[in-house]
Amino acid sequence: MFNYIIKRFFQSLITLMVVITIVFALLRLMPEEGYFGEGYEKLDEQQREAILTQMGLRDPLHKQLLDFYKQLLRGDLGKSIIYRPKVDISIILNDKIPYSLRFGLSAMALSLLIGLPLGILMALNHRGFWDKLGTAYIVFINAVPAAIYYLFIQVYVTGIFKIPMLYSESNPLSWILPTISMSLGSTASYAMWMRRYMLDEMNKDYVKLAKAKGLSGPRIMLSHVLRNAFVPMVQYLPSAILYTIAGSIYIESLYSIPGMGGLLVTAIQRQDNTLVQALVLIYSSIGIFGLFLGDILMALLDPRIKLSKKAGAR
Amino acid sequence: MLQILEITFRGEAMEKFILSARDLVIKFRLRGKVLTAIRGVSLDIYEGESLAIVGESGSGKSVFTKSFMGLLDKNGWIDSGSIIYGGMDLAKFKEERDWLKIRGKEIAMVFQEPMTALNPLKTIGKQVKEAVELHQGLRGKEAKEEVIKILDDVGIRDPERRYNQYPHEFSGGMRQRVVIAIAIACRPKILICDEPTTALDVTIQAQILNLLKDLKEKYKLTTIYITHDLGVVANVADRVAVMYAGDIIEIGKTEEIFYNGQHPYTWALLSSLPQLGKKGEPLYTIQGTPPNLFQEIKGDAFAPRNPKALEIDFIHSPPYFQVSPTHKAKTWLLDPRAPHVEPPEAIKKMRKRWKEI
């Protein structure tokens, strides 16, 4: 087990380094005006060269890459150039991440709390009323563009319940709708996958054996089916939790929540090269780290996963 | 009720029936149509015997025995008839709660596919322990000791260490031993073995069959084997029931069926055994396919595939004709009015040997 974790960790590390290098290389291909900020047009050729040289961008590439790694190891993501000139990127993120996390995590808790039981109910009630109702919900969420029901909720529900339309820090009532809206999609997908994994397990031979040995239906569900159906779900949970940091572009702009959503888009539009670089790095390391945690959770729950040692069947 | 059933028609010492199926009809609903899988089967199973039910795929042998445990698929039901066990009519059971009294405790089953029959995420110790706790009422350390004893009984070496291992750490043969251990741990009176060796390779098959024979003695079980492998039958069974298209067409002691079979289907089945074929000649195969169970079957179900079928075979279904006190067959050939039909060569040879015995 320990060997497996170590091995998986170094694999993730290598992946991360490859990503960093690629991001670094791509950013060097971008137009250079992204490094100058306001007043780019007023600078003449020599001033521009001076600024670029001062930023280290005229050094040989391998030195630049090395410097970049050193900077990252110190935890320094660099300074924003255009978005908020000369401000540390880590400060910009510090201001925004808490909002996204707060809404993301509570939306996620809500959708797990509703989605998983809904999926289980649908599987137990296979082809029955609840299954059909749940399927209708899942199809609706997947078929209708999210923007439509987000807007619908914002416009009508705020009107009916007299809840403020926009987010305000001091009024917790205004936090409800963004959270609910954000959870609708993931509720549908948790329910869908849970139902599917449950049905997969329910049709397996070992359930027949458990039945033949005289276990009652509820007991088979609890101690055999449910546990086994959770295993594939668990793999995606760490990624899902971590990705809440990224926030939701649409919801955050709809309710004017000052979170992470849309930051990457803005940074790219305004060609704030260092900010883009930092954000892409953060998102990709979140992805890699999430998968790493998911794999470890899987290995803890599923004894068949032991890549480090060949399982000896006799 | 039981007293009536205990009337002996074997002509020998009175033996008790442990389970009696009477005129059992089982139907399935499939794509809006109704299929009759079991067409009025009656069968008495003696306590302590070893009975083999043979027949080709789809003959209903598996469905028939599954109905003893309420394990029919959701789209299937017992249409009429009765299954008497321990003074209860199992055919009348409707709720899962009723079946919990039977499953495991009274009747247990060993399945065909050992590779998938175990939960891959639970140690085999825990899976056997579930049965021990449920049916023997043991808990904690006692239960674990019992599990280890049973694992040892089914021939798993080093059971203390194996207790904490997962199914993927076992080979097919060893997994089948675990499945058998689970069945035994329930302390059943009847053990149904649904093609217990089909998925195993030949060397392991013999080991598993020997194990089942030993366990039958040790735990005083009544065993029912479902198989299409006549080699298995000869090895383990006291009696053989031959099933065709949802009906038992011939039943008797194993020797009687092998050496003195009467039904043309039994003949055909035996003739297709490689051991009975002649060297250098192509092996006998049964022509055609089994009848469509969606339609009502008229006469003898095997008649359309039987080149020597009589005319009456297509019109009236034959009753049982008693061949000996322990042997009966459903074929018009046994009617005194029937013309003489020569059985195939292989069968004639077997009959000669039968007379010598």
Side-chain angles (χ1 to χ4, degrees), chain A residues 133-145:
Chain A
L133 193 74
T135 306
Y137 171 68
I138 292 167
V139 170
F140 176 84
I141 291 293
N142 284 306
V144 178

Side-chain angles (χ1 to χ4, degrees), chain B residues 133-201:
Chain B
E133 287 177 346
L134 200 63
H135 298 297
Q136 299 188 34
L138 300 174
R139 287 284 174 276
K141 220 180 135 210
E142 274 181 315
K144 187 176 173 178
E145 275 164 15
E146 176 67 18
V147 172
I148 287 171
K149 198 181 134 268
I150 294 170
L151 290 179
D152 196 41
D153 271 355
V154 296
I156 291 172
R157 258 183 284 169
D158 202 358
E160 283 91 357
R161 187 173 60 86
R162 295 297 231 168
Y163 183 94
N164 288 320
Q165 289 186 336
Y166 290 91
H168 70 274
E169 296 170 87
F170 286 68
S171 65
M174 279 296 157
R175 280 188 220 186
Q176 191 62 310
R177 285 174 196 267
V178 176
V179 173
I180 293 169
I182 290 174
I184 294 298
C186 303
R187 288 290 150 81
K189 303 208 171 57
I190 302 180
L191 181 65
I192 301 172
C193 304
D194 189 350
E195 312 211 6
T197 58
T198 307
L200 305 174
D201 70 59

Side-chain angles (χ1 to χ4, degrees), chain A residues 126 201-202 204-217 219 223-225 227-229 231 301-306 311-314, chain B residues 69 71 96 100 103-104 107 109 111 113 116-122 127 130-131 133-135 161-162 165-166 168-171 174 179 182 186:
Chain A
H126 186 42
E201 294 300 319
M202 279 155 77
K204 287 199 173 151
D205 283 353
Y206 72 80
V207 174
K208 266 186 239 156
L209 182 78
K211 215 170 158 188
K213 74 178 154 184
L215 290 182
S216 66
R219 213 167 137 200
S223 74
H224 286 271
V225 173
R227 186 190 179 286
N228 290 18
V231 172
L301 289 173
D302 190 337
R304 284 168 299 180
I305 300 174
K306 283 202 176 63
R314 273 151 298 234
Chain B
M69 298 178 71
L71 289 176
E96 285 287 302
L100 293 183
R103 286 183 196 145
I107 308 176
M109 201 168 209
F111 289 94
E113 224 355 292
T116 52
L118 295 167
N119 185 339
L121 303 185
K122 269 188 178 220
Q127 296 189 50
E130 275 182 337
E133 287 177 346
L134 200 63
H135 298 297
R161 187 173 60 86
R162 295 297 231 168
Q165 289 186 336
Y166 290 91
H168 70 274
E169 296 170 87
F170 286 68
S171 65
M174 279 296 157
V179 173
I182 290 174
C186 303

Side-chain angles (χ1 to χ4, degrees), chain B residues 328-346:
Chain B
K328 55 183 179 175
K330 267 189 181 175
T331 168
W332 286 116
L333 292 180
L334 290 170
D335 192 282
R337 291 162 289 175
H340 180 70
V341 170
E342 282 287 305
E345 275 308 304

